[in-house]
Amino acid sequence: MAPALLLVPAALASFILAFGTGVEFVRFTSLRPLLGGIPESGGPDARQGWLAALQDRSILAPLAWDLGLLLLFVGQHSLMAAERVKAWTSRYFGVLQRSLYVACTALALQVYYHVLGLGEPLALKSPRALRLFSHLRHPVCVELLTVLWVVPTLGTDRLLLAFLLTLYLGLAHGLDQQDLRYLRAQLQRKLHLLSRPQDGEAE
């Protein structure tokens, strides 16, 4: 019973993360930034702001592109998740069916980057950031290690798998002083941005 209780904090943290992501998504999809800070209320000013935004081509054109990209993403996910499509891809691709799904998702994201003129995602990173990425594993590996180790019982095969993957991820993690200085500078930059007063707030 006691080992199972260790999963409670992890589950609670996962819920908080998912809830926070949902709140951030609602904030991101708000039209307030497009309306230049017009109060979000039910008054006449808010209604006029919405009407003005929906008649402004400089706003409608990006919204149309966003809608198209969103439909591409939703359509690809929904189509490939349909039972008939899954059965067809499983028949011809076998165990690679899921890999095909992930590859098509990545392709949809590449279309998104191409439309926005962003190019290769990693090309937007600075040389110091690329150097940092080459010295550590993806943060999602922490979640993988948690899944491997935080279990009520640990069989011999599971123990061997957890030990080898932990060793593999640990050996690949080789940050040096230059990487730490970069991380410290990024942290200070973010703290400085968060400490700045927001638009409309008194200094």
Side-chain angles (χ1 to χ4, degrees):
M1 181 64 182
L5 293 177
L6 296 176
L7 297 176
V8 175
L12 182 60
S14 177
F15 168 77
I16 294 174
L17 177 62
F19 182 79
T21 303
V23 172
E24 176 63 18
F25 177 76
V26 172
R27 187 201 66 80
F28 173 76
T29 55
S30 172
L31 267 182
R32 185 171 185 176
L34 298 176
L35 301 179
I38 294 177
E40 295 179 356
S41 61
D45 292 340
R47 287 194 293 270
Q48 290 298 325
W50 275 88
L51 292 175
L54 295 177
Q55 295 174 0
D56 190 343
R57 291 188 177 182
S58 65
I59 293 178
L60 291 179
L63 286 179
W65 278 109
D66 290 343
L67 178 61
L69 293 171
L70 180 61
L71 291 177
L72 172 65
F73 179 81
V74 172
Q76 178 263 323
H77 272 63
S78 300
L79 178 64
M80 297 197 69
E83 291 299 327
R84 289 186 178 181
V85 177
K86 288 170 64 176
W88 184 85
T89 53
S90 297
R91 184 185 311 134
Y92 289 98
F93 294 94
V95 295
L96 296 178
Q97 182 268 338
R98 189 65 184 177
S99 298
L100 178 65
Y101 181 89
V102 174
C104 291
T105 301
L107 181 61
L109 292 177
Q110 287 296 325
V111 171
Y112 169 79
Y113 274 89
H114 176 74
V115 169
L116 297 184
L118 299 178
E120 175 63 30
L122 287 179
L124 303 175
K125 302 297 182 180
S126 67
R128 297 178 66 187
L130 294 176
R131 185 181 187 277
L132 172 68
F133 295 159
S134 67
H135 291 169
L136 81 167
R137 292 297 179 187
H138 196 282
V140 77
C141 293
V142 177
E143 178 184 353
L144 172 62
L145 293 180
T146 304
V147 171
L148 289 174
W149 286 105
V150 183
V151 290
T153 59
L154 201 62
T156 305
D157 54 347
R158 181 68 173 256
L159 177 62
L160 179 63
L161 177 64
F163 175 76
L164 290 179
L165 286 181
T166 302
L167 183 63
Y168 168 70
L169 296 175
L171 292 176
H173 191 83
L175 300 182
D176 55 17
Q177 290 297 321
Q178 186 174 343
D179 293 324
L180 294 178
R181 285 195 297 269
Y182 172 74
L183 290 173
R184 189 179 299 113
Q186 291 299 308
L187 176 61
Q188 293 298 327
R189 177 173 173 269
K190 287 179 170 52
L191 291 176
H192 175 70
L193 291 175
L194 291 174
S195 64
R196 291 168 52 186
Q198 300 293 324
D199 295 339
E201 293 184 1
E203 297 185 0

